[in-house]
């Protein structure tokens, strides 16, 4: 059974940085896409970034390009989201997700597994 466990959320001032981690277990992820979504109160879950577990293909939401970086560590079976220059409007619960596909997608319904989420709060 696939398990995704996020960590690294917290409170940070605007302009600050956080690194989220997602520990993945339960199977080999070589044919998976790993992603991060966020959901603010009262809003729909939104795509942030994704990466193919095998290879270097990545995709970012326009709003985070140049500030966020997604990466993975094969040895630790962990996916990271480095978030720099954070903005108050990026306050949300951030979810790690995995899709059984080699194509990077941005739709929530295309992803098969989800973590429990980690809260990120950016103060102004």
């Amino acid at each position: 059974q696939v398990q995704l466990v996020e960590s690294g959320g917290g409170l940070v001032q605007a302009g600050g940085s956080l690194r989220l981690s997602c520990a993945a277990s339960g199977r080999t992820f070589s044919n998976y896409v790993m992603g991060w979504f966020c959901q603010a109160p009262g809003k729909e879950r939104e795509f942030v970034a994704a990466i193919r577990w095998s290879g270097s293909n990545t995709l970012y939401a326009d709003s985070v390009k140049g500030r966020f970086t997604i990466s993975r560590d094969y040895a630790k079976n962990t996916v990271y989201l480095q978030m720099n220059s954070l903005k108050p409007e990026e306050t949300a619960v951030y979810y790690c997700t995995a899709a059984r596909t080699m194509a990077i997608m941005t739709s929530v319904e295309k992803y098969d597994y989800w973590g429990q989420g980690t809260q990120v709060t950016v103060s102004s």
Side-chain angles (χ1 to χ4, degrees):
Q1 182 172 345
V2 172
Q3 277 198 314
L4 304 173
V5 180
E6 303 98 332
S7 61
L11 174 64
V12 64
Q13 289 188 333
S17 298
L18 282 175
R19 188 178 79 157
L20 306 183
S21 299
C22 173
S25 62
R27 65 185 60 224
T28 301
F29 292 93
S30 56
N31 294 323
Y32 278 63
V33 166
M34 308 298 291
W36 289 94
F37 283 70
C38 67
Q39 187 167 20
K43 295 188 175 182
E44 294 185 351
R45 198 165 294 189
E46 297 180 344
F47 174 78
V48 176
I51 186 170
R52 284 177 58 179
W53 189 263
S54 300
S56 58
N57 301 66
T58 58
L59 183 67
Y60 296 92
D62 288 343
S63 60
V64 307
K65 284 180 182 177
R67 297 186 299 118
F68 289 15
T69 302
I70 189 170
S71 62
R72 74 273 186 257
D73 184 322
Y74 293 123
K76 296 182 179 180
N77 241 30
T78 299
V79 178
Y80 301 100
L81 184 68
Q82 177 67 44
M83 306 186 295
N84 299 328
S85 302
L86 281 160
K87 304 175 182 179
E89 56 265 36
E90 291 171 329
T91 293
V93 177
Y94 283 72
Y95 295 92
C96 177
T97 184
R100 294 187 302 262
T101 178
M102 296 291 282
I104 297 180
M105 297 161 294
T106 62
S107 300
V108 170
E109 60 268 20
K110 299 295 186 181
Y111 286 81
D112 302 293
Y113 304 100
W114 295 85
Q116 82 287 350
T118 185
Q119 176 71 46
V120 171
T121 303
V122 186
S123 63
S124 57

